[in-house]
Amino acid sequence: MRLRQAVRRIQDAARDRGTTGRGAEEADEVAGTFATDGALGFDPFPFLRALDEAGSHAVVVGQVAGIMHGSTELTGDLDLLWDGTPEEAHALRAALAATGCSELPDLDRPEVAYRVTGASGDLCTPALPWGDMDVTPCLDRAVRAHDPAGFTVRYVALDDLIRMRRSLGRPKDHRRADELERLSAR
């Protein structure tokens, strides 16, 4: 429910905003992707449903995972961690195709950008450098949330997300890790 409420807030806040011409790859390290065109029309639910229906075990990371843990900061992208196996690549391709991805990304790389109707972001594997953190165990420790619309969303556990944020070390990551630590102390 937190994510559904946040998506409504993102849509309301971005409704009257004009395009900036900036994509996620040009996001400010402080403001994040909410200040880019990714926030315009942001609706990750069709893709999240398609992932579940395709049997994907990809895990939501980044600020969408933060929102699911209670963060109040908004975003404009949906980043996923996946294991890099051929089976998971097949499931990801099926979900991408089902949600309007006209150019399927090369899933042989540790990080690739994707765009579907309503969302865009990065598909990352543990082979991507995550600072001093091995993110492979995060896949098995993922939290599962059941959306009221009848599908399951897997997202990174709170402690793992905080470590990911600290490991990446950008200003927005430290700020968001601080917020998550305050939330976990409650």
Side-chain angles (χ1 to χ4, degrees):
M1 292 308 293
R2 288 178 180 151
L3 183 56
R4 287 204 175 269
Q5 292 168 350
V7 168
R8 282 192 294 275
R9 287 183 21 238
I10 292 165
Q11 291 170 347
D12 288 346
R15 181 173 291 119
D16 296 327
R17 188 169 80 189
T19 59
T20 64
R22 292 185 324 177
E25 64 281 352
E26 300 165 295
D28 180 275
E29 288 204 4
V30 175
T33 58
F34 179 67
T36 70
D37 290 346
L40 303 175
F42 184 68
D43 181 3
F45 295 107
F47 187 46
L48 292 170
R49 175 187 284 280
L51 288 166
D52 185 51
E53 290 174 352
S56 172
H57 294 108
V59 173
V60 174
V61 295
Q63 188 53 17
V64 169
I67 289 167
M68 294 181 80
H69 284 294
S71 174
T72 59
E73 285 199 37
L74 302 178
T75 189
D77 67 346
L78 174 66
D79 297 325
L80 300 169
L81 175 65
W82 65 290
D83 64 12
T85 64
E87 297 81 18
E88 185 62 32
H90 177 74
L92 284 171
R93 283 187 192 97
L96 289 162
T99 50
C101 183
S102 58
E103 290 186 40
L104 293 176
D106 178 5
L107 296 178
D108 291 330
R109 297 179 17 223
E111 179 182 25
V112 295
Y114 75 91
R115 177 173 300 285
V116 295
T117 302
S120 62
D122 293 317
L123 302 171
C124 307
T125 70
L128 181 70
W130 294 83
D132 60 356
M133 182 176 180
D134 176 11
V135 297
T136 304
C138 299
L139 293 164
D140 291 329
R141 292 192 294 254
V143 177
R144 288 170 178 75
H146 302 286
D147 188 87
F151 59 93
T152 299
V153 178
R154 293 168 44 91
Y155 62 104
V156 67
L158 181 59
D159 290 343
D160 288 333
L161 181 58
I162 292 169
R163 281 194 298 278
M164 285 176 156
R165 294 279 191 212
R166 296 277 183 227
S167 182
L168 292 171
R170 299 170 294 193
K172 68 178 181 180
D173 292 310
H174 284 297
R175 181 183 69 245
R176 290 172 175 173
D178 291 344
E179 178 192 28
L180 293 171
E181 285 174 343
R182 285 190 302 276
L183 290 170
S184 69
R186 289 183 188 172

